[in-house]
């Protein structure tokens, strides 16, 4: 995902305010974008669930 410098700064700030991992949010957004234009989105929920349950990129 291509975020502008300002978008990235705002997203990082929001993640810090809400104690959410910036890395996980970016991975979630990338995954949704990856499945966005597929004819069948089979597996998107499993992919999102896997990201949410992973220990990497925990709260900063």
């Amino acid at each position: 995902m291509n975020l502008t410098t300002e978008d990235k700064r705002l997203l990082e700030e929001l993640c810090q305010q809400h104690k959410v991992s910036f890395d996980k949010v970016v991975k979630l957004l990338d995954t949704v974008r990856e499945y966005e234009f597929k004819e069948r989105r089979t597996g998107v929920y499993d992919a999102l669930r896997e990201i949410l349950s992973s220990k990497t990129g925990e709260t900063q």
Side-chain angles (χ1 to χ4, degrees), residues 1-24:
M1 172 178 36
N2 296 326
L3 294 173
T4 66
T5 303
E6 180 65 10
D7 289 340
K8 185 176 179 180
R9 186 190 65 73
L10 288 171
L11 183 57
E12 286 175 335
E13 186 179 313
L14 285 169
C15 288
Q16 287 176 353
Q17 287 176 3
H18 295 280
K19 295 179 176 54
V20 175
S21 169
F22 172 77
D23 292 334
K24 275 192 179 184

Side-chain angles (χ1 to χ4, degrees), residues 3-58:
L3 294 173
T4 66
T5 303
E6 180 65 10
D7 289 340
K8 185 176 179 180
R9 186 190 65 73
L10 288 171
L11 183 57
E12 286 175 335
E13 186 179 313
L14 285 169
C15 288
Q16 287 176 353
Q17 287 176 3
H18 295 280
K19 295 179 176 54
V20 175
S21 169
F22 172 77
D23 292 334
K24 275 192 179 184
V25 170
V26 170
K27 285 180 186 178
L28 290 167
L29 291 170
D30 283 340
T31 301
V32 168
R33 180 133 171 93
E34 177 184 326
Y35 281 87
E36 185 175 9
F37 296 109
K38 289 187 176 182
E39 190 171 312
R40 295 191 58 187
R41 294 174 45 126
T42 303
V44 68
Y45 293 118
D46 291 333
L48 296 175
R49 197 173 294 113
E50 185 176 323
I51 293 167
L52 289 172
S53 66
S54 72
K55 294 291 183 189
T56 56
E58 288 296 324

